[in-house]
Amino acid sequence: MKWSEVIMVRLAGSQSKVPASILRELINDLAIDVGQEAIKVFRREKLDSDICIVLFHDGIKTNTGGSPLGLRVVAALREFSQVYHTVWIEVEN
């Protein structure tokens, strides 16, 4: 089964510049853990403070509301920003 985690981050006010290096380090760690093809990072058009991280998975979905890796990312980013985390399952034809 293919499924994805969508982690949307909204950096607020003066904190929007603080976690940039942490975010880059986190994304690099993610790429190592899940592979370069399994992660995509998006920036919202005309709003640099909004970031979307998508983790792609191919396998059994966990019952924890996300992968251990996705949950770690959410926990790390919550310190700096608002985080919205959802799990999506691919619809099979």
Side-chain angles (χ1 to χ4, degrees):
M1 168 191 341
K2 292 186 179 185
W3 59 286
S4 299
E5 291 175 87
V6 177
I7 303 167
M8 294 189 306
V9 180
R10 172 161 286 171
L11 306 171
S14 62
Q15 291 183 329
S16 64
K17 300 204 185 319
V18 174
S21 62
I22 293 170
L23 187 60
R24 273 193 295 275
E25 183 178 325
L26 184 62
I27 290 167
N28 288 337
D29 290 347
L30 286 172
I32 291 168
D33 284 353
V34 298
Q36 198 68 24
E37 296 301 313
I39 178 174
K40 299 288 182 192
V41 180
F42 301 89
R43 177 185 55 80
R44 187 168 171 184
E45 183 181 27
K46 299 181 183 178
L47 193 56
D48 290 341
S49 60
D50 284 10
I51 297 168
C52 180
I53 301 167
V54 182
L55 303 175
F56 298 93
H57 303 284
D58 191 7
I60 298 171
K61 184 190 153 318
T62 64
N63 292 327
T64 59
S67 69
L69 180 60
L71 295 172
R72 285 197 323 260
V73 170
V74 169
L77 292 174
R78 268 212 178 107
E79 180 180 343
F80 302 105
S81 60
Q82 296 177 17
V83 179
Y84 183 68
H85 180 213
T86 57
V87 175
W88 297 78
I89 299 172
E90 182 178 47
V91 177
E92 298 183 21
N93 295 332

